[in-house]
Amino acid sequence: MNFWKQGLVSVPDTSYQQFDPATTPPPGKASNCEWKGMPVFCGPRGLPFGSATLYHQRADATFEDVTKAPGIGTVQGFYAFTPVAADLNGDGWVDIYFASNSTPSMLFRNQKNGTFREIGTETGVALNEHGFEQGGNGVGVGDYNRDGLLDIVKTNFSGDHPNLYRNTGGGIFEDAVLSAGLAINPQFVGWGVALVDLDNDGWQDIFQVNGHVYLELDKAGRSETYTQPRLVYRNLGGGKFEDVSAMAGAGLAARHSSRGAVFADFDNDGDIDVAVMNMGEPPSLLRNGLAAGSTARWIKVTLEGVTSNRSAIGALVTIEAGGARQTLPRLGQSSFLSQNELRLHFGLGAAEAVDSVTVRWPSGATEVFAGCAAGATLVLKEGSGRR
């Protein structure tokens, strides 16, 4: 991700916790080594905290650890899982959000001078609506309500619902999960997740993979199980979603203990497919069968940076089509331990063409490119459009 606009890439990273088998108690031998009365592996509470690291690319393509200089290393005491870097307040500078487990999640606001400031609590993305820590795992970033502001979806541990952080402007968020209709499956442990248009209607849906962490569940005869199905929530517009998992095919109903999820049009037929990493078994490749019977249209956008980094990581793309506006960021990481394809996919619904494409490049420049007919893949090179 390009945090400082020099055309080089920086990479945020996390370590979840510090684990030493020589000092960690065995299952059941401490209060943090039980779950609902069942002996399980210890943690995260009671174990030493992990840390966040920021690596910055040098001109010779090597990387250096710059964690201390930007201020990220000054924040201590968290179990962070998934980092995502995106411009969350619309000021043209990339921020960093960390989904944390059993500790507050963190938002590092880019100060535009080479440093960051942690403001998760004051921006509404650190805790749940009651002020409690959550078991945050995976993160997706998109614009589910088409207002041009980047929103966040975060998955959590079982007994809780995900967060749908609606950007209210200026990088201030409110959790809209209840009003959106997403608080209906608290029985699952959520991991990889994305805001992604699965039916090409022009609205970003939510796809979530699940799986428990305790193998002991399958031997204990409990209602909760180690393997769990996947979930799809269809975006109805107006800030509402509906659970359509039961209608989404056998690939969704199949039970696995899944973690990562990668979203890409693997077969190039115009709809988004999903590759899922499963614990202890081969991955799943879920093919989207929409294209065969759908009349909904689409376009794809590929970016090539010149002044910016070549892959244009950190860019923001907005299209105008059918009287509606859609926005997607180009991210350097996504979901949970995953990386989506770099082509950006926009569903168009009934629109036969895109009127215009606006790219805000990581360098800070903004270009407006001419539109095109639906079904095309646009390759946009920085500096070749019109301002």
Side-chain angles (χ1 to χ4, degrees), residues 225-261:
T225 58
Y226 180 66
T227 59
Q228 298 176 351
R230 292 79 184 244
L231 296 172
V232 171
Y233 299 99
R234 182 172 181 264
N235 193 331
L236 301 176
K240 301 291 185 180
F241 291 81
E242 65 173 338
D243 184 353
V244 295
S245 308
M247 300 180 285
L252 271 289
R255 303 180 73 90
H256 303 270
S257 187
S258 303
R259 298 294 185 269

PDB file of all heavy atoms in Angstrom, residues 225-261:
ATOM      1  N   THR A 225     -20.488 -26.738  16.114  1.00  0.00           N
ATOM      2  CA  THR A 225     -19.617 -27.707  15.449  1.00  0.00           C
ATOM      3  C   THR A 225     -18.375 -27.023  14.901  1.00  0.00           C
ATOM      4  O   THR A 225     -18.369 -25.823  14.638  1.00  0.00           O
ATOM      5  CB  THR A 225     -20.355 -28.406  14.292  1.00  0.00           C
ATOM      6  OG1 THR A 225     -20.805 -27.416  13.364  1.00  0.00           O
ATOM      7  CG2 THR A 225     -21.538 -29.203  14.805  1.00  0.00           C
ATOM      8  N   TYR A 226     -17.327 -27.815  14.728  1.00  0.00           N
ATOM      9  CA  TYR A 226     -16.071 -27.307  14.197  1.00  0.00           C
ATOM     10  C   TYR A 226     -16.230 -26.868  12.747  1.00  0.00           C
ATOM     11  O   TYR A 226     -15.728 -25.820  12.339  1.00  0.00           O
ATOM     12  CB  TYR A 226     -15.002 -28.386  14.322  1.00  0.00           C
ATOM     13  CG  TYR A 226     -13.646 -27.997  13.805  1.00  0.00           C
ATOM     14  CD1 TYR A 226     -12.903 -26.994  14.424  1.00  0.00           C
ATOM     15  CD2 TYR A 226     -13.086 -28.645  12.697  1.00  0.00           C
ATOM     16  CE1 TYR A 226     -11.643 -26.639  13.961  1.00  0.00           C
ATOM     17  CE2 TYR A 226     -11.827 -28.294  12.237  1.00  0.00           C
ATOM     18  CZ  TYR A 226     -11.110 -27.288  12.866  1.00  0.00           C
ATOM     19  OH  TYR A 226      -9.866 -26.951  12.400  1.00  0.00           O
ATOM     20  N   THR A 227     -16.922 -27.676  11.950  1.00  0.00           N
ATOM     21  CA  THR A 227     -17.171 -27.312  10.555  1.00  0.00           C
ATOM     22  C   THR A 227     -18.490 -26.553  10.451  1.00  0.00           C
ATOM     23  O   THR A 227     -19.466 -26.881  11.121  1.00  0.00           O
ATOM     24  CB  THR A 227     -17.211 -28.551   9.652  1.00  0.00           C
ATOM     25  OG1 THR A 227     -18.243 -29.438  10.112  1.00  0.00           O
ATOM     26  CG2 THR A 227     -15.869 -29.277   9.681  1.00  0.00           C
ATOM     27  N   GLN A 228     -18.504 -25.544   9.577  1.00  0.00           N
ATOM     28  CA  GLN A 228     -19.674 -24.678   9.454  1.00  0.00           C
ATOM     29  C   GLN A 228     -19.879 -24.283   7.996  1.00  0.00           C
ATOM     30  O   GLN A 228     -18.935 -24.290   7.203  1.00  0.00           O
ATOM     31  CB  GLN A 228     -19.471 -23.420  10.326  1.00  0.00           C
ATOM     32  CG  GLN A 228     -19.324 -23.728  11.806  1.00  0.00           C
ATOM     33  CD  GLN A 228     -19.025 -22.507  12.655  1.00  0.00           C
ATOM     34  OE1 GLN A 228     -18.759 -21.425  12.145  1.00  0.00           O
ATOM     35  NE2 GLN A 228     -19.070 -22.667  13.975  1.00  0.00           N
ATOM     36  N   PRO A 229     -21.111 -23.937   7.607  1.00  0.00           N
ATOM     37  CA  PRO A 229     -21.382 -23.519   6.226  1.00  0.00           C
ATOM     38  C   PRO A 229     -20.915 -22.088   5.977  1.00  0.00           C
ATOM     39  O   PRO A 229     -20.495 -21.374   6.891  1.00  0.00           O
ATOM     40  CB  PRO A 229     -22.903 -23.623   6.128  1.00  0.00           C
ATOM     41  CG  PRO A 229     -23.379 -23.361   7.528  1.00  0.00           C
ATOM     42  CD  PRO A 229     -22.339 -23.980   8.434  1.00  0.00           C
ATOM     43  N   ARG A 230     -20.998 -21.670   4.705  1.00  0.00           N
ATOM     44  CA  ARG A 230     -20.688 -20.283   4.330  1.00  0.00           C
ATOM     45  C   ARG A 230     -21.984 -19.477   4.304  1.00  0.00           C
ATOM     46  O   ARG A 230     -23.082 -20.024   4.322  1.00  0.00           O
ATOM     47  CB  ARG A 230     -20.034 -20.237   2.940  1.00  0.00           C
ATOM     48  CG  ARG A 230     -18.636 -20.859   2.861  1.00  0.00           C
ATOM     49  CD  ARG A 230     -18.651 -22.393   2.783  1.00  0.00           C
ATOM     50  NE  ARG A 230     -17.307 -22.954   2.806  1.00  0.00           N
ATOM     51  CZ  ARG A 230     -16.780 -23.630   1.804  1.00  0.00           C
ATOM     52  NH1 ARG A 230     -17.471 -23.835   0.691  1.00  0.00           N
ATOM     53  NH2 ARG A 230     -15.560 -24.115   1.903  1.00  0.00           N
ATOM     54  N   LEU A 231     -21.861 -18.161   4.230  1.00  0.00           N
ATOM     55  CA  LEU A 231     -23.023 -17.286   4.230  1.00  0.00           C
ATOM     56  C   LEU A 231     -22.949 -16.295   3.082  1.00  0.00           C
ATOM     57  O   LEU A 231     -21.878 -15.791   2.752  1.00  0.00           O
ATOM     58  CB  LEU A 231     -23.107 -16.503   5.548  1.00  0.00           C
ATOM     59  CG  LEU A 231     -23.323 -17.304   6.833  1.00  0.00           C
ATOM     60  CD1 LEU A 231     -23.184 -16.390   8.046  1.00  0.00           C
ATOM     61  CD2 LEU A 231     -24.684 -17.982   6.829  1.00  0.00           C
ATOM     62  N   VAL A 232     -24.107 -16.005   2.484  1.00  0.00           N
ATOM     63  CA  VAL A 232     -24.238 -14.933   1.493  1.00  0.00           C
ATOM     64  C   VAL A 232     -25.415 -14.054   1.886  1.00  0.00           C
ATOM     65  O   VAL A 232     -26.530 -14.547   2.108  1.00  0.00           O
ATOM     66  CB  VAL A 232     -24.457 -15.485   0.073  1.00  0.00           C
ATOM     67  CG1 VAL A 232     -24.800 -14.339  -0.874  1.00  0.00           C
ATOM     68  CG2 VAL A 232     -23.215 -16.188  -0.435  1.00  0.00           C
ATOM     69  N   TYR A 233     -25.158 -12.758   1.995  1.00  0.00           N
ATOM     70  CA  TYR A 233     -26.206 -11.774   2.251  1.00  0.00           C
ATOM     71  C   TYR A 233     -26.359 -10.914   1.004  1.00  0.00           C
ATOM     72  O   TYR A 233     -25.416 -10.233   0.586  1.00  0.00           O
ATOM     73  CB  TYR A 233     -25.843 -10.895   3.441  1.00  0.00           C
ATOM     74  CG  TYR A 233     -25.668 -11.641   4.745  1.00  0.00           C
ATOM     75  CD1 TYR A 233     -24.399 -11.975   5.208  1.00  0.00           C
ATOM     76  CD2 TYR A 233     -26.772 -12.004   5.519  1.00  0.00           C
ATOM     77  CE1 TYR A 233     -24.226 -12.643   6.408  1.00  0.00           C
ATOM     78  CE2 TYR A 233     -26.613 -12.674   6.715  1.00  0.00           C
ATOM     79  CZ  TYR A 233     -25.333 -12.994   7.158  1.00  0.00           C
ATOM     80  OH  TYR A 233     -25.172 -13.658   8.342  1.00  0.00           O
ATOM     81  N   ARG A 234     -27.533 -10.910   0.428  1.00  0.00           N
ATOM     82  CA  ARG A 234     -27.807 -10.130  -0.775  1.00  0.00           C
ATOM     83  C   ARG A 234     -28.181  -8.705  -0.389  1.00  0.00           C
ATOM     84  O   ARG A 234     -29.021  -8.467   0.493  1.00  0.00           O
ATOM     85  CB  ARG A 234     -28.935 -10.757  -1.580  1.00  0.00           C
ATOM     86  CG  ARG A 234     -29.234 -10.017  -2.884  1.00  0.00           C
ATOM     87  CD  ARG A 234     -30.219 -10.789  -3.730  1.00  0.00           C
ATOM     88  NE  ARG A 234     -30.489 -10.094  -4.981  1.00  0.00           N
ATOM     89  CZ  ARG A 234     -31.533  -9.284  -5.167  1.00  0.00           C
ATOM     90  NH1 ARG A 234     -32.417  -9.082  -4.195  1.00  0.00           N
ATOM     91  NH2 ARG A 234     -31.710  -8.684  -6.328  1.00  0.00           N
ATOM     92  N   ASN A 235     -27.549  -7.751  -1.041  1.00  0.00           N
ATOM     93  CA  ASN A 235     -27.817  -6.336  -0.816  1.00  0.00           C
ATOM     94  C   ASN A 235     -29.122  -5.951  -1.514  1.00  0.00           C
ATOM     95  O   ASN A 235     -29.243  -6.068  -2.736  1.00  0.00           O
ATOM     96  CB  ASN A 235     -26.648  -5.504  -1.351  1.00  0.00           C
ATOM     97  CG  ASN A 235     -26.692  -4.064  -0.889  1.00  0.00           C
ATOM     98  OD1 ASN A 235     -27.750  -3.504  -0.638  1.00  0.00           O
ATOM     99  ND2 ASN A 235     -25.516  -3.446  -0.804  1.00  0.00           N
ATOM    100  N   LEU A 236     -30.082  -5.497  -0.735  1.00  0.00           N
ATOM    101  CA  LEU A 236     -31.383  -5.117  -1.274  1.00  0.00           C
ATOM    102  C   LEU A 236     -31.467  -3.637  -1.612  1.00  0.00           C
ATOM    103  O   LEU A 236     -32.484  -3.174  -2.137  1.00  0.00           O
ATOM    104  CB  LEU A 236     -32.482  -5.456  -0.259  1.00  0.00           C
ATOM    105  CG  LEU A 236     -32.586  -6.925   0.159  1.00  0.00           C
ATOM    106  CD1 LEU A 236     -33.643  -7.074   1.245  1.00  0.00           C
ATOM    107  CD2 LEU A 236     -32.896  -7.809  -1.030  1.00  0.00           C
ATOM    108  N   GLY A 237     -30.387  -2.892  -1.329  1.00  0.00           N
ATOM    109  CA  GLY A 237     -30.441  -1.447  -1.458  1.00  0.00           C
ATOM    110  C   GLY A 237     -31.091  -0.839  -0.225  1.00  0.00           C
ATOM    111  O   GLY A 237     -31.690  -1.537   0.601  1.00  0.00           O
ATOM    112  N   GLY A 238     -30.978   0.454  -0.084  1.00  0.00           N
ATOM    113  CA  GLY A 238     -31.572   1.110   1.073  1.00  0.00           C
ATOM    114  C   GLY A 238     -30.948   0.703   2.392  1.00  0.00           C
ATOM    115  O   GLY A 238     -31.577   0.854   3.448  1.00  0.00           O
ATOM    116  N   GLY A 239     -29.737   0.172   2.357  1.00  0.00           N
ATOM    117  CA  GLY A 239     -29.046  -0.224   3.578  1.00  0.00           C
ATOM    118  C   GLY A 239     -29.481  -1.556   4.145  1.00  0.00           C
ATOM    119  O   GLY A 239     -29.121  -1.893   5.282  1.00  0.00           O
ATOM    120  N   LYS A 240     -30.234  -2.361   3.376  1.00  0.00           N
ATOM    121  CA  LYS A 240     -30.776  -3.625   3.867  1.00  0.00           C
ATOM    122  C   LYS A 240     -30.146  -4.818   3.132  1.00  0.00           C
ATOM    123  O   LYS A 240     -29.846  -4.746   1.945  1.00  0.00           O
ATOM    124  CB  LYS A 240     -32.289  -3.673   3.669  1.00  0.00           C
ATOM    125  CG  LYS A 240     -33.056  -2.555   4.357  1.00  0.00           C
ATOM    126  CD  LYS A 240     -33.027  -2.702   5.872  1.00  0.00           C
ATOM    127  CE  LYS A 240     -33.898  -1.642   6.540  1.00  0.00           C
ATOM    128  NZ  LYS A 240     -33.881  -1.761   8.014  1.00  0.00           N
ATOM    129  N   PHE A 241     -29.993  -5.917   3.874  1.00  0.00           N
ATOM    130  CA  PHE A 241     -29.512  -7.177   3.311  1.00  0.00           C
ATOM    131  C   PHE A 241     -30.469  -8.299   3.682  1.00  0.00           C
ATOM    132  O   PHE A 241     -31.193  -8.211   4.683  1.00  0.00           O
ATOM    133  CB  PHE A 241     -28.125  -7.522   3.867  1.00  0.00           C
ATOM    134  CG  PHE A 241     -27.017  -6.615   3.397  1.00  0.00           C
ATOM    135  CD1 PHE A 241     -26.813  -5.382   3.991  1.00  0.00           C
ATOM    136  CD2 PHE A 241     -26.161  -7.006   2.373  1.00  0.00           C
ATOM    137  CE1 PHE A 241     -25.791  -4.542   3.574  1.00  0.00           C
ATOM    138  CE2 PHE A 241     -25.131  -6.180   1.948  1.00  0.00           C
ATOM    139  CZ  PHE A 241     -24.951  -4.943   2.553  1.00  0.00           C
ATOM    140  N   GLU A 242     -30.437  -9.373   2.883  1.00  0.00           N
ATOM    141  CA  GLU A 242     -31.178 -10.582   3.238  1.00  0.00           C
ATOM    142  C   GLU A 242     -30.261 -11.784   3.108  1.00  0.00           C
ATOM    143  O   GLU A 242     -29.392 -11.836   2.232  1.00  0.00           O
ATOM    144  CB  GLU A 242     -32.411 -10.769   2.344  1.00  0.00           C
ATOM    145  CG  GLU A 242     -32.112 -11.020   0.874  1.00  0.00           C
ATOM    146  CD  GLU A 242     -33.366 -11.371   0.082  1.00  0.00           C
ATOM    147  OE1 GLU A 242     -34.356 -11.813   0.707  1.00  0.00           O
ATOM    148  OE2 GLU A 242     -33.354 -11.209  -1.155  1.00  0.00           O
ATOM    149  N   ASP A 243     -30.450 -12.760   3.996  1.00  0.00           N
ATOM    150  CA  ASP A 243     -29.661 -13.983   3.978  1.00  0.00           C
ATOM    151  C   ASP A 243     -30.215 -14.902   2.895  1.00  0.00           C
ATOM    152  O   ASP A 243     -31.336 -15.404   3.004  1.00  0.00           O
ATOM    153  CB  ASP A 243     -29.744 -14.664   5.342  1.00  0.00           C
ATOM    154  CG  ASP A 243     -28.865 -15.906   5.443  1.00  0.00           C
ATOM    155  OD1 ASP A 243     -28.288 -16.323   4.413  1.00  0.00           O
ATOM    156  OD2 ASP A 243     -28.759 -16.460   6.551  1.00  0.00           O
ATOM    157  N   VAL A 244     -29.424 -15.120   1.826  1.00  0.00           N
ATOM    158  CA  VAL A 244     -29.847 -15.995   0.733  1.00  0.00           C
ATOM    159  C   VAL A 244     -28.967 -17.244   0.662  1.00  0.00           C
ATOM    160  O   VAL A 244     -28.910 -17.910  -0.362  1.00  0.00           O
ATOM    161  CB  VAL A 244     -29.822 -15.239  -0.621  1.00  0.00           C
ATOM    162  CG1 VAL A 244     -30.839 -14.113  -0.627  1.00  0.00           C
ATOM    163  CG2 VAL A 244     -28.424 -14.716  -0.928  1.00  0.00           C
ATOM    164  N   SER A 245     -28.306 -17.570   1.762  1.00  0.00           N
ATOM    165  CA  SER A 245     -27.379 -18.696   1.772  1.00  0.00           C
ATOM    166  C   SER A 245     -28.056 -19.994   1.381  1.00  0.00           C
ATOM    167  O   SER A 245     -27.477 -20.822   0.662  1.00  0.00           O
ATOM    168  CB  SER A 245     -26.761 -18.837   3.170  1.00  0.00           C
ATOM    169  OG  SER A 245     -26.213 -17.617   3.618  1.00  0.00           O
ATOM    170  N   ALA A 246     -29.296 -20.201   1.842  1.00  0.00           N
ATOM    171  CA  ALA A 246     -30.002 -21.452   1.563  1.00  0.00           C
ATOM    172  C   ALA A 246     -30.329 -21.603   0.084  1.00  0.00           C
ATOM    173  O   ALA A 246     -30.574 -22.725  -0.381  1.00  0.00           O
ATOM    174  CB  ALA A 246     -31.290 -21.522   2.389  1.00  0.00           C
ATOM    175  N   MET A 247     -30.309 -20.517  -0.676  1.00  0.00           N
ATOM    176  CA  MET A 247     -30.623 -20.571  -2.099  1.00  0.00           C
ATOM    177  C   MET A 247     -29.374 -20.499  -2.977  1.00  0.00           C
ATOM    178  O   MET A 247     -29.477 -20.464  -4.194  1.00  0.00           O
ATOM    179  CB  MET A 247     -31.551 -19.412  -2.471  1.00  0.00           C
ATOM    180  CG  MET A 247     -32.874 -19.422  -1.728  1.00  0.00           C
ATOM    181  SD  MET A 247     -33.940 -18.037  -2.209  1.00  0.00           S
ATOM    182  CE  MET A 247     -33.124 -16.679  -1.365  1.00  0.00           C
ATOM    183  N   ALA A 248     -28.200 -20.484  -2.348  1.00  0.00           N
ATOM    184  CA  ALA A 248     -26.966 -20.214  -3.089  1.00  0.00           C
ATOM    185  C   ALA A 248     -26.205 -21.465  -3.494  1.00  0.00           C
ATOM    186  O   ALA A 248     -25.090 -21.352  -4.006  1.00  0.00           O
ATOM    187  CB  ALA A 248     -26.068 -19.295  -2.275  1.00  0.00           C
ATOM    188  N   GLY A 249     -26.780 -22.644  -3.284  1.00  0.00           N
ATOM    189  CA  GLY A 249     -26.169 -23.857  -3.807  1.00  0.00           C
ATOM    190  C   GLY A 249     -25.388 -24.671  -2.795  1.00  0.00           C
ATOM    191  O   GLY A 249     -25.143 -24.263  -1.662  1.00  0.00           O
ATOM    192  N   ALA A 250     -24.965 -25.854  -3.264  1.00  0.00           N
ATOM    193  CA  ALA A 250     -24.286 -26.808  -2.391  1.00  0.00           C
ATOM    194  C   ALA A 250     -22.942 -26.300  -1.894  1.00  0.00           C
ATOM    195  O   ALA A 250     -22.478 -26.689  -0.815  1.00  0.00           O
ATOM    196  CB  ALA A 250     -24.095 -28.133  -3.129  1.00  0.00           C
ATOM    197  N   GLY A 251     -22.292 -25.449  -2.678  1.00  0.00           N
ATOM    198  CA  GLY A 251     -20.999 -24.919  -2.259  1.00  0.00           C
ATOM    199  C   GLY A 251     -21.096 -24.082  -1.002  1.00  0.00           C
ATOM    200  O   GLY A 251     -20.133 -23.989  -0.233  1.00  0.00           O
ATOM    201  N   LEU A 252     -22.241 -23.444  -0.797  1.00  0.00           N
ATOM    202  CA  LEU A 252     -22.443 -22.664   0.416  1.00  0.00           C
ATOM    203  C   LEU A 252     -22.816 -23.543   1.594  1.00  0.00           C
ATOM    204  O   LEU A 252     -22.410 -23.282   2.726  1.00  0.00           O
ATOM    205  CB  LEU A 252     -23.540 -21.609   0.194  1.00  0.00           C
ATOM    206  CG  LEU A 252     -23.125 -20.256  -0.340  1.00  0.00           C
ATOM    207  CD1 LEU A 252     -22.361 -19.487   0.712  1.00  0.00           C
ATOM    208  CD2 LEU A 252     -22.337 -20.357  -1.621  1.00  0.00           C
ATOM    209  N   ALA A 253     -23.585 -24.582   1.345  1.00  0.00           N
ATOM    210  CA  ALA A 253     -24.044 -25.455   2.426  1.00  0.00           C
ATOM    211  C   ALA A 253     -22.956 -26.398   2.918  1.00  0.00           C
ATOM    212  O   ALA A 253     -23.020 -26.877   4.055  1.00  0.00           O
ATOM    213  CB  ALA A 253     -25.253 -26.264   1.955  1.00  0.00           C
ATOM    214  N   ALA A 254     -21.953 -26.682   2.077  1.00  0.00           N
ATOM    215  CA  ALA A 254     -20.887 -27.603   2.469  1.00  0.00           C
ATOM    216  C   ALA A 254     -20.208 -27.105   3.739  1.00  0.00           C
ATOM    217  O   ALA A 254     -19.890 -25.919   3.867  1.00  0.00           O
ATOM    218  CB  ALA A 254     -19.870 -27.731   1.334  1.00  0.00           C
ATOM    219  N   ARG A 255     -19.953 -28.014   4.660  1.00  0.00           N
ATOM    220  CA  ARG A 255     -19.426 -27.634   5.961  1.00  0.00           C
ATOM    221  C   ARG A 255     -17.918 -27.869   6.013  1.00  0.00           C
ATOM    222  O   ARG A 255     -17.426 -28.964   5.740  1.00  0.00           O
ATOM    223  CB  ARG A 255     -20.124 -28.414   7.071  1.00  0.00           C
ATOM    224  CG  ARG A 255     -21.649 -28.222   7.065  1.00  0.00           C
ATOM    225  CD  ARG A 255     -22.294 -29.003   8.173  1.00  0.00           C
ATOM    226  NE  ARG A 255     -22.030 -28.395   9.474  1.00  0.00           N
ATOM    227  CZ  ARG A 255     -22.796 -27.481  10.058  1.00  0.00           C
ATOM    228  NH1 ARG A 255     -23.879 -27.027   9.434  1.00  0.00           N
ATOM    229  NH2 ARG A 255     -22.491 -26.996  11.237  1.00  0.00           N
ATOM    230  N   HIS A 256     -17.204 -26.827   6.367  1.00  0.00           N
ATOM    231  CA  HIS A 256     -15.749 -26.861   6.530  1.00  0.00           C
ATOM    232  C   HIS A 256     -15.398 -25.936   7.686  1.00  0.00           C
ATOM    233  O   HIS A 256     -16.220 -25.140   8.136  1.00  0.00           O
ATOM    234  CB  HIS A 256     -15.034 -26.382   5.263  1.00  0.00           C
ATOM    235  CG  HIS A 256     -15.384 -27.146   4.029  1.00  0.00           C
ATOM    236  ND1 HIS A 256     -14.695 -28.266   3.615  1.00  0.00           N
ATOM    237  CD2 HIS A 256     -16.369 -26.949   3.104  1.00  0.00           C
ATOM    238  CE1 HIS A 256     -15.219 -28.722   2.490  1.00  0.00           C
ATOM    239  NE2 HIS A 256     -16.242 -27.942   2.156  1.00  0.00           N
ATOM    240  N   SER A 257     -14.184 -26.031   8.155  1.00  0.00           N
ATOM    241  CA  SER A 257     -13.674 -25.011   9.058  1.00  0.00           C
ATOM    242  C   SER A 257     -12.778 -24.116   8.214  1.00  0.00           C
ATOM    243  O   SER A 257     -11.599 -24.397   8.007  1.00  0.00           O
ATOM    244  CB  SER A 257     -12.892 -25.621  10.226  1.00  0.00           C
ATOM    245  OG  SER A 257     -12.553 -24.618  11.164  1.00  0.00           O
ATOM    246  N   SER A 258     -13.378 -23.059   7.684  1.00  0.00           N
ATOM    247  CA  SER A 258     -12.722 -22.216   6.688  1.00  0.00           C
ATOM    248  C   SER A 258     -12.108 -20.982   7.337  1.00  0.00           C
ATOM    249  O   SER A 258     -12.517 -20.559   8.414  1.00  0.00           O
ATOM    250  CB  SER A 258     -13.724 -21.788   5.612  1.00  0.00           C
ATOM    251  OG  SER A 258     -14.309 -22.925   4.995  1.00  0.00           O
ATOM    252  N   ARG A 259     -11.120 -20.403   6.636  1.00  0.00           N
ATOM    253  CA  ARG A 259     -10.459 -19.206   7.135  1.00  0.00           C
ATOM    254  C   ARG A 259     -10.358 -18.134   6.029  1.00  0.00           C
ATOM    255  O   ARG A 259     -11.044 -17.151   6.059  1.00  0.00           O
ATOM    256  CB  ARG A 259      -9.051 -19.553   7.666  1.00  0.00           C
ATOM    257  CG  ARG A 259      -9.042 -20.521   8.855  1.00  0.00           C
ATOM    258  CD  ARG A 259      -9.654 -19.926  10.085  1.00  0.00           C
ATOM    259  NE  ARG A 259      -9.512 -20.825  11.230  1.00  0.00           N
ATOM    260  CZ  ARG A 259     -10.395 -21.738  11.589  1.00  0.00           C
ATOM    261  NH1 ARG A 259     -11.518 -21.891  10.875  1.00  0.00           N
ATOM    262  NH2 ARG A 259     -10.192 -22.497  12.651  1.00  0.00           N
ATOM    263  N   GLY A 260      -9.477 -18.309   5.078  1.00  0.00           N
ATOM    264  CA  GLY A 260      -9.290 -17.314   4.036  1.00  0.00           C
ATOM    265  C   GLY A 260     -10.320 -17.429   2.933  1.00  0.00           C
ATOM    266  O   GLY A 260     -10.912 -18.491   2.706  1.00  0.00           O
ATOM    267  N   ALA A 261     -10.545 -16.314   2.218  1.00  0.00           N
ATOM    268  CA  ALA A 261     -11.449 -16.296   1.071  1.00  0.00           C
ATOM    269  C   ALA A 261     -10.919 -15.290   0.056  1.00  0.00           C
ATOM    270  O   ALA A 261     -10.616 -14.154   0.402  1.00  0.00           O
ATOM    271  CB  ALA A 261     -12.869 -15.925   1.493  1.00  0.00           C
TER     272      ALA A 261
END
